[in-house]
Amino acid sequence: MKEHENAKFERVGGVYWLMLFGAGIILPLFLTLLLCLSQGNLSMSVFLPLTLVIGVCVWIGLIMMIAWGNFSSLFVKRTAKGIKDMPYRFNSSFQGRGGILYIDVANGMIGFISAYNPFKIQIFNASRLSGMRTIASSVTGIRFVFYIDNKKVSMPTLLTNKAYSIKSGIGAEAVSKADTFVELLKAAKSQAERGM
């Protein structure tokens, strides 16, 4: 099973940057060209300012999509279909805006598909994990955090534009979910260290 394990954690992939900049540059040019051709005015005095305005709008949209993990969610879901071909029993998983986390406690392994590296299933021995904890705040949201090779991964269980009490209702449920995954990660790490 070692042959599937990644030597290095890549939270952001090179293809993601190409995809992002391609969309941010080509899309405004294409939309401006279509708009200018439909109006019958393809002069540079109209094309360049219009490209700039559309470009700013496209980048604002892209930044919002990136912040919420929507930019690559389709690619993440497509990549996730390959997890069943792995020789692990990932019987616990969590999908959040940062990607999808898979946990195989019995073998002490985790799998991760990052929203910023959506074309790759990364597999790690859980002994490489550290700093697993729940962060609960009624202002910034509720999430569980862990580090892979000292690189932080944050998985929100509750993000909202409203303030929620951590001790009641939806807040308590989100804290409980975060605590559950922290315990699963700790159990996988413990199992991995026992097997070394």
Side-chain angles (χ1 to χ4, degrees):
M1 291 201 250
K2 275 255 192 221
E3 66 273 4
H4 295 285
E5 192 176 335
N6 291 76
K8 181 181 173 192
F9 175 50
E10 296 174 31
R11 185 162 185 243
V12 181
V15 175
Y16 181 81
W17 288 115
L18 290 173
M19 193 170 69
L20 177 65
F21 285 114
I25 293 170
I26 294 170
L27 193 58
L29 290 172
F30 179 72
L31 291 174
T32 305
L33 185 62
L34 281 179
L35 194 59
C36 287
L37 289 175
S38 70
Q39 297 298 316
N41 187 2
L42 194 58
S43 68
M44 280 297 165
S45 61
V46 172
F47 186 79
L48 289 177
L50 193 56
T51 301
L52 184 61
V53 169
I54 291 175
V56 168
C57 293
V58 165
W59 275 101
I60 289 171
L62 284 173
I63 289 169
M64 289 172 62
M65 289 173 70
I66 291 165
W68 285 98
N70 296 336
F71 181 68
S72 61
S73 61
L74 179 68
F75 303 111
V76 169
K77 287 177 186 171
R78 187 175 297 147
T79 303
K81 291 177 183 175
I83 204 78
K84 64 182 179 296
D85 299 329
M86 295 285 178
Y88 306 104
R89 293 187 315 259
F90 293 117
N91 33 14
S92 298
S93 66
F94 181 82
Q95 182 169 358
R97 75 175 187 179
I100 305 176
L101 171 68
Y102 297 95
I103 305 171
D104 177 354
V105 175
N107 291 308
M109 300 297 287
I110 66 160
F112 188 67
I113 304 171
S114 173
Y116 310 107
N117 192 1
F119 303 105
K120 186 175 186 181
I121 300 170
Q122 299 183 73
I123 304 293
F124 303 99
N125 188 299
S127 64
R128 295 166 61 182
L129 299 177
S130 63
M132 291 83 71
R133 69 186 186 284
T134 298
I135 298 175
S137 166
S138 57
V139 177
T140 61
I142 300 165
R143 62 196 175 279
F144 63 96
V145 176
F146 60 97
Y147 292 81
I148 303 173
D149 299 335
N150 297 319
K151 292 182 183 174
K152 184 178 180 179
V153 177
S154 181
M155 302 295 285
T157 56
L158 176 65
L159 284 176
T160 180
N161 57 357
K162 298 177 187 175
Y164 279 101
S165 170
I166 298 166
K167 297 182 183 192
S168 65
I170 195 167
E173 186 180 324
V175 169
S176 174
K177 185 183 272 190
D179 287 343
T180 299
F181 279 94
V182 166
E183 291 308 313
L184 286 169
L185 289 170
K186 287 180 178 176
K189 180 179 173 84
S190 176
Q191 182 66 22
E193 289 172 345
R194 255 194 308 261
M196 293 180 115

